[in-house]
């Protein structure tokens, strides 16, 4: 009986020693793993729809990886091809021709560097005093009305807006309001987006730019027509990709906050289809107009050809030329 008690005491001592030598963090992690395993065992099985969505997501991920791999291989092949072409070029040219080529290349590099510096200088001046020029704010408070795919598309359009503005000889002050949630996640995927020269905020545009008298919400349903861009005025664009599901939503948003509304002067362009443009197209029209002060030229440079009416060969003849139908232009 004493031997049994002794062995029991020895086992107890071993257990106590094991507890002393056990890291508390490891013990906590083991408990968490056990809890997770227990939770996963009680998780209800996925429905057929959920399984289909997961399978589709996995397929898209595989396609994306294959696409990135193919692009990487193409870059390697392009570099190798250029290196080979340069080698052949240098072998078949005289020293004078090579020197002339190097001079032209260096000049092109310097010109490109100067253009970048000039662009940065213009943007610095714009954002040093935003109210010194018109401000265009993209209202991104419609996340609940868009699918994930549509938010991805909107983030892409926002990147186009930044690109157009940064390359402009006369940039506007670009702002993005209510940038949050899934849209912000898509937006941050663009390389360098955290360093873009824009005003971006999670707050609503009415909080960023107080004073409804200085705000004009652009809407195709507005009874007012935009004729000019005024310094210090905030022109708001509805940041929404909805495939025309929502009607009058921009006008309703403007009325909700008691701000003025206006529409683009679409009488300057003949449209074949709907007068609803993408966010980046509207923004580029405004940038072009700010540069040239000519709506006609702005529309001609920006509006896609698929939206324009085909020019008839006999349009010069007033009797045969089709009249401009207001029903085509306005909703």
């Amino acid at each position: 009986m004493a031997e049994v008690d002794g062995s029991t005491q020895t086992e107890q001592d071993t257990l106590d020693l094991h507890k002393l030598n056990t890291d508390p963090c490891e013990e906590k992690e083991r408990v968490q793993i056990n809890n997770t395993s227990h939770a996963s065992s009680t998780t209800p099985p996925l429905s057929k729809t959920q399984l289909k969505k997961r399978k589709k997501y996995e397929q898209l991920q595989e396609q994306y990886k294959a696409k990135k791999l193919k692009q990487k291989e193409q870059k390697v092949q392009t570099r190798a091809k250029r290196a080979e072409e340069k080698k052949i070029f240098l072998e078949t040219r005289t020293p004078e021709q090579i020197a002339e080529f190097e001079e032209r290349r260096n000049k092109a590099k310097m010109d490109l560097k100067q253009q970048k510096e000039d662009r940065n200088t213009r943007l610095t001046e714009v954002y040093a005093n935003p109210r010194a020029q018109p401000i265009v704010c993209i209202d991104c408070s419609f996340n609940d009305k868009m699918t994930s795919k549509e938010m991805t598309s909107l983030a892409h359009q926002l990147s186009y807006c930044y690109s157009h503005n940064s390359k402009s000889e006369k940039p506007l002050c670009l702002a993005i309001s209510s940038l949050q949630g899934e849209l912000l996640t898509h937006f941050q995927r663009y390389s360098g987006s955290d360093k873009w020269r824009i005003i971006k905020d999670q707050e609503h545009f009415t909080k960023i730019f107080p004073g409804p008298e200085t705000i004009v919400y652009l809407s195709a349903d507005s009874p007012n027509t935009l004729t000019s861009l005024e310094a210090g005025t905030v022109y708001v664009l509805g940041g929404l990709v909805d495939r025309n599901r929502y009607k009058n939503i921009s006008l309703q948003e403007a009325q909700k906050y008691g701000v003025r509304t206006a529409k683009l002067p679409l009488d300057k362009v003949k449209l074949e289809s709907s007068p609803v443009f993408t966010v980046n197209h509207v923004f580029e029209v405004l940038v072009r107009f700010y540069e040239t002060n000519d709506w006609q030229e702005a529309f001609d440079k920006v509006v896609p050809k698929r939206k324009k009416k085909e020019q008839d060969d006999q349009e010069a003849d007033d009797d045969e030329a089709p009249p401009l139908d207001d029903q085509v232009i306005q909703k």
Side-chain angles (χ1 to χ4, degrees), residues 13 57 61 83 94 153 172 181 197 211 230 234 243 255 274 279-280 322:
D13 292 343
Y57 175 77
Q61 289 296 313
T94 63
S153 179
L172 293 164
R197 298 287 189 88
E230 300 176 2
V234 182
R243 317 300 177 193
Q255 293 170 344
S274 167
V279 173
N280 57 292

Side-chain angles (χ1 to χ4, degrees), residues 131 135-142 175-180 199 201-217 234-237 250 252-260:
R131 292 283 184 175
I135 301 172
V136 178
C137 178
I138 301 173
D139 175 21
C140 298
S141 61
F142 304 100
I176 304 176
S177 65
S178 302
L179 184 60
Q180 54 186 305
I199 298 173
D201 204 309
Q202 294 185 359
E203 295 291 342
H204 195 263
F205 69 87
T206 54
K207 294 184 178 180
I208 304 173
F209 306 105
E213 67 280 354
T214 63
I215 299 176
V216 177
Y217 210 116
V234 182
Y235 299 91
V236 182
L237 310 183
S250 296
Q252 292 170 2
E253 194 73 6
Q255 293 170 344
K256 177 180 176 181
Y257 294 99
V259 299
R260 293 176 293 164

Side-chain angles (χ1 to χ4, degrees), residues 142-163:
F142 304 100
N143 286 12
D144 58 330
K145 294 178 173 59
M146 291 185 288
T147 64
S148 180
K149 185 177 180 180
E150 288 168 345
M151 279 188 274
T152 302
S153 179
L154 178 58
H156 197 52
Q157 292 179 24
L158 294 177
S159 71
Y160 275 130
C161 291
Y162 169 74
S163 178

Side-chain angles (χ1 to χ4, degrees), residues 97-320:
Q97 290 174 325
I98 294 174
E100 184 182 352
F101 167 75
E102 292 292 343
E103 184 180 353
R104 288 201 309 269
R105 188 173 68 169
N106 291 334
K107 185 178 183 303
K109 287 183 178 179
M110 291 299 294
D111 290 344
L112 189 62
K113 184 179 179 181
Q114 186 61 46
Q115 289 175 10
K116 187 175 180 180
E117 290 176 356
D118 293 343
R119 184 169 61 208
N120 289 335
T121 300
R122 289 193 295 268
L123 291 174
T124 300
E125 292 174 353
V126 166
Y127 291 99
N129 186 12
R131 292 283 184 175
Q133 56 276 312
I135 301 172
V136 178
C137 178
I138 301 173
D139 175 21
C140 298
S141 61
F142 304 100
N143 286 12
D144 58 330
K145 294 178 173 59
M146 291 185 288
T147 64
S148 180
K149 185 177 180 180
E150 288 168 345
M151 279 188 274
T152 302
S153 179
L154 178 58
H156 197 52
Q157 292 179 24
L158 294 177
S159 71
Y160 275 130
C161 291
Y162 169 74
S163 178
H164 292 316
N165 199 48
S166 63
K167 294 175 182 178
S168 172
E169 293 293 328
K170 195 177 177 183
L172 293 164
C173 181
L174 173 61
I176 304 176
S177 65
S178 302
L179 184 60
Q180 54 186 305
E182 187 177 349
L183 177 61
L184 177 60
T185 302
H186 291 307
F187 180 81
Q188 290 173 336
R189 289 177 181 170
Y190 289 91
S191 177
S193 59
D194 56 326
K195 299 178 182 178
W196 287 358
R197 298 287 189 88
I198 57 176
I199 298 173
K200 53 181 183 291
D201 204 309
Q202 294 185 359
E203 295 291 342
H204 195 263
F205 69 87
T206 54
K207 294 184 178 180
I208 304 173
F209 306 105
E213 67 280 354
T214 63
I215 299 176
V216 177
Y217 210 116
L218 298 187
S219 170
D221 305 296
S222 173
N224 310 312
T225 302
L226 186 66
T227 56
S228 62
L229 297 178
E230 300 176 2
T233 301
V234 182
Y235 299 91
V236 182
L237 310 183
L240 177 64
V241 177
D242 64 337
R243 317 300 177 193
N244 265 350
R245 290 196 306 274
Y246 301 100
K247 305 298 181 183
N248 303 325
I249 188 167
S250 296
L251 185 62
Q252 292 170 2
E253 194 73 6
Q255 293 170 344
K256 177 180 176 181
Y257 294 99
V259 299
R260 293 176 293 164
T261 63
K263 61 187 174 185
L264 294 178
L266 296 176
D267 56 328
K268 304 294 182 181
V269 59
K270 295 181 179 180
L271 297 177
E272 183 67 33
S273 57
S274 167
V276 179
F277 299 144
T278 60
V279 173
N280 57 292
H281 282 152
V282 176
F283 179 78
E284 191 178 356
V285 166
L286 297 177
V287 172
R288 295 289 187 183
F289 173 74
Y290 191 53
E291 288 176 344
T292 62
N293 199 34
D294 187 331
W295 286 112
Q296 183 70 58
E297 185 176 347
F299 280 114
D300 287 343
K301 287 184 178 180
V302 176
V303 177
K305 290 182 178 179
R306 68 178 184 276
K307 276 187 169 286
K308 294 180 182 178
K309 279 190 174 181
E310 293 293 334
Q311 297 295 324
D312 195 279
D313 294 336
Q314 299 180 354
E315 190 174 2
D317 189 344
D318 293 338
D319 294 332
E320 297 183 9

